[in-house]
Amino acid sequence: MLRRIYGIETEYGITFSLRGQRRLSPDEVSRFLFRKVVAWGRSSNVFLENGSRLYLDVGSHPEYATAECDTLVDAVAQDKAGEAILRELVDYAQGQLADEGIRGEIFLFKNNTDSTGNSYGCHENYCIERIEDLSRLEQVFIPYLISRQIFTGAGKVVTNAKGTTYSMSQRAEHIWEAISSATTRSRPIINTRDEPHADPEKYRRLHVIVGDSNMSEFATYLKLGTASVVLAMIEDKFLGTDLSVEAPVAELRAISHDPTCRRLLTLKDGRKMTAVQLQAEYLELARKYTEDKYGNDVDDITSDVLNRWESVLNRLAEDPMLLSKELDWVAKLELLEGYRSRDGLAWDHPRLQLVDLQYSDVRPDRGLYNRLAARGRMVRLTDDATIERAVENPPEDTRAYFRGRCLRQYPESVAAASWDSVIFDIPGRESLQRVPTLEPLRGTKAHVGELLDRCRSAAELVAALTGHE
């Protein structure tokens, strides 16, 4: 694949209830959930041995940030590993609650809205070259993000002034600006806060907060893969055409409200086209870009992304329901329409809202997505063994490998860890020893694996790295 560092931050919805009645607030049950995390790292904000970060966001719900990945399959597996890690914490917290005589059940959802209208995010991070002129992102990347919800949306039964209906995106209703440095006050499509978590002279971390949380591995794969190709075209200044949309936030919501994918959106140059047609323009440009740059040497993963992208767009143009095994919003819509047809339910029926919620339940036996996947009714790009490895191990070809191995081998000596450094507390040294990890593609297994294998202590490792035996 065109070389790119990816990461996904997922905020999970959580509740604790008995027979449908809430027993504890989200922040109260989250604190039970994080008792084990605090035991792991003496904090509710920790890095794990698989290179990921787990923390209690604003004190009310758990958030999992994947390790840095430079392959799509690693990114998908790391994202799914987050679900497995959170399920383990739920089981632990359930036992803690029972021990204290608190009856009820914890429910954990990989979704983006709660019953009171609050929204929580699924943020994508892409390591890109340092672009100071962000107008290129506004002209090219934002129209891509607005229209890509036709294959990345998680689906949602929504109620607004016009009544209750079905929307393909959960986040679209909660986005208010195209570009902004804020994340909660204005909720932009792209957040411009400049925190590269890498060498600031070379890199920018593009923080995308418009996306939905996907249960579908296929949707996550296509979301990251197509974005990577579009970003490569932007970085190489291949895209000279301004594809800006006339009213980006309004069009974002309008597209979401049209599961037929037939609605026309208006570009600033006056052209009108559907979201499918706009995505097809990006695909055509992507094929030309990869052909011009790589010819017949384009790698298999890039070719796979382009081919899956084309297949999805063709079927969306024909009939979106043909994608019920690949896309979350279509799979969920098929379930909901089944109940509506069988029982004659209107969109505002409570049972449909329950089905909507149950789709994103992370438990294998209760979550509707997981039950569909277990029956072979959802396309998978990993398997259970791959996900289990991602729970325990970091990706081997990014700096996450160094961080994860250090946390596993020298847990008592790691004073702190962050995305761009590991800090050691070495006996006999007056000050803490900071090892910077500013290059995302250094600290890999190929780079430091042998070194870590032979260093039996953190003191040996730091001595080898600093040259001070």
Side-chain angles (χ1 to χ4, degrees):
M1 184 68 191
L2 307 172
R3 214 67 195 273
R4 181 77 57 195
I5 297 293
Y6 316 92
I8 302 176
E9 304 165 37
T10 303
E11 301 172 22
Y12 286 79
I14 191 167
T15 189
F16 181 75
S17 63
L18 178 65
R19 301 188 186 94
Q21 300 299 312
R22 178 181 288 183
R23 298 292 309 279
L24 296 176
S25 67
D27 58 327
E28 288 172 326
V29 68
S30 290
R31 285 183 171 80
F32 274 92
L33 199 73
F34 271 72
R35 283 184 178 181
K36 190 170 187 177
V37 177
V38 172
W40 287 341
R42 304 180 298 278
S43 170
S44 61
N45 183 348
V46 298
F47 278 87
L48 306 179
E49 293 178 1
N50 73 342
S52 66
R53 179 184 174 212
L54 182 64
Y55 53 106
L56 192 57
D57 188 47
V58 296
S60 62
H61 55 257
E63 182 163 349
Y64 174 86
T66 69
E68 307 92 321
C69 304
D70 88 325
T71 70
L72 293 177
V73 173
D74 273 351
V76 172
Q78 275 272 325
D79 181 56
K80 283 295 178 182
E83 297 176 29
I85 290 168
L86 267 297
R87 283 197 296 267
E88 179 185 340
L89 294 183
V90 166
D91 290 342
Y92 173 83
Q94 196 74 61
Q96 293 283 301
L97 288 161
D99 289 344
E100 296 191 17
I102 304 174
R103 297 174 59 213
E105 187 172 6
I106 298 174
F107 294 86
L108 190 73
F109 303 102
K110 192 182 182 187
N111 66 349
N112 303 109
T113 56
D114 64 17
S115 59
T116 60
N118 297 312
S119 180
Y120 32 95
C122 176
H123 302 170
E124 303 149 56
N125 296 293
Y126 302 92
C127 186
I128 64 174
E129 68 177 25
R130 177 143 291 278
I131 298 175
E132 299 302 339
D133 179 12
L134 297 181
S135 64
R136 278 195 282 159
L137 294 176
E138 190 162 8
Q139 293 170 357
V140 178
F141 199 57
I142 285 181
Y144 156 80
L145 292 173
I146 290 169
S147 53
R148 73 166 189 179
Q149 62 187 302
I150 57 178
F151 55 81
T152 64
K156 176 72 176 176
V157 177
V158 295
T159 300
N160 53 34
K162 297 181 180 179
T164 302
T165 185
Y166 189 75
S167 173
M168 69 174 68
S169 170
Q170 296 187 14
R171 285 286 278 177
E173 293 292 307
H174 302 274
I175 299 298
W176 297 97
E177 290 187 44
I179 292 182
S180 170
S181 61
T183 56
T184 56
R185 184 181 67 255
S186 61
R187 286 212 182 94
I189 295 172
I190 293 177
N191 170 246
T192 58
R193 186 174 56 198
D194 195 2
E195 295 179 348
H197 297 317
D199 186 342
E201 299 296 320
K202 296 170 60 177
Y203 305 114
R204 175 184 284 272
R205 178 172 63 104
L206 185 63
H207 194 54
V208 177
I209 69 173
V210 71
D212 288 4
S213 296
N214 288 113
M215 297 295 294
S216 165
E217 297 176 4
F218 182 98
T220 298
Y221 177 91
L222 199 60
K223 174 168 65 178
L224 299 179
T226 57
S228 179
V229 176
V230 174
L231 288 170
M233 291 192 288
I234 293 172
E235 289 170 327
D236 286 345
K237 298 181 174 60
F238 180 81
L239 295 171
T241 305
D242 185 349
L243 297 172
S244 301
V245 173
E246 183 62 38
V249 174
E251 294 289 7
L252 175 74
R253 295 176 182 173
I255 292 169
S256 177
H257 292 159
D258 176 35
T260 69
C261 299
R262 297 286 190 270
R263 187 189 179 281
L264 296 174
L265 60 116
T266 303
L267 274 58
K268 282 188 177 179
D269 63 11
R271 287 185 295 165
K272 293 182 181 294
M273 61 182 68
T274 66
V276 175
Q277 291 168 336
L278 180 54
Q279 281 289 313
E281 289 218 359
Y282 282 101
L283 172 62
E284 183 179 354
L285 290 166
R287 287 204 178 279
K288 188 175 188 307
Y289 168 73
T290 53
E291 182 179 344
D292 289 354
K293 186 164 185 175
Y294 301 104
N296 294 327
D297 293 330
V298 63
D299 64 277
D300 292 341
I301 297 299
T302 301
S303 294
D304 185 64
V305 168
L306 298 178
N307 291 337
R308 289 181 189 272
W309 195 1
E310 182 174 15
S311 173
V312 164
L313 295 180
N314 287 340
R315 283 179 285 167
L316 285 170
E318 181 181 352
D319 178 5
M321 300 311 294
L322 295 173
L323 288 153
S324 61
K325 289 188 174 183
E326 287 98 342
L327 306 185
D328 283 317
W329 76 264
V330 183
K332 185 185 291 185
L333 179 58
E334 184 173 74
L335 289 173
L336 293 168
E337 290 289 13
Y339 280 98
R340 278 168 43 81
S341 175
R342 188 189 69 186
D343 300 328
L345 304 179
W347 275 114
D348 60 355
H349 196 282
R351 193 185 306 174
L352 298 185
Q353 295 177 355
L354 181 60
V355 171
D356 186 347
L357 192 59
Q358 285 181 318
Y359 181 89
S360 58
D361 191 318
V362 301
R363 291 171 297 181
D365 58 331
R366 298 288 294 274
L368 296 182
Y369 165 82
N370 286 325
R371 290 166 66 181
L372 289 173
R375 297 170 185 169
R377 292 177 57 185
M378 296 298 295
V379 172
R380 295 194 61 186
L381 301 178
T382 68
D383 54 37
D384 292 345
T386 300
I387 294 170
E388 191 56 40
R389 284 194 298 272
V391 169
E392 301 290 339
N393 301 288
E396 296 182 347
D397 47 9
T398 72
R399 65 186 177 188
Y401 178 81
F402 176 76
R403 182 193 312 122
R405 279 286 303 268
C406 288
L407 288 167
R408 173 168 296 176
Q409 288 184 211
Y410 322 116
E412 298 303 319
S413 298
V414 176
S418 67
W419 297 113
D420 54 16
S421 69
V422 178
I423 300 174
F424 295 95
D425 187 358
I426 306 297
R429 297 209 178 192
E430 293 183 0
S431 60
L432 298 176
Q433 304 297 304
R434 180 178 181 271
V435 177
T437 55
L438 291 173
E439 285 293 335
L441 291 173
R442 289 179 67 82
T444 66
K445 183 177 183 179
H447 182 216
V448 298
E450 186 275 333
L451 176 66
L452 288 163
D453 287 343
R454 64 180 169 84
C455 290
R456 292 168 296 176
S457 69
E460 290 182 31
L461 175 67
V462 171
L465 291 171
T466 60
H468 299 294
E469 297 294 340

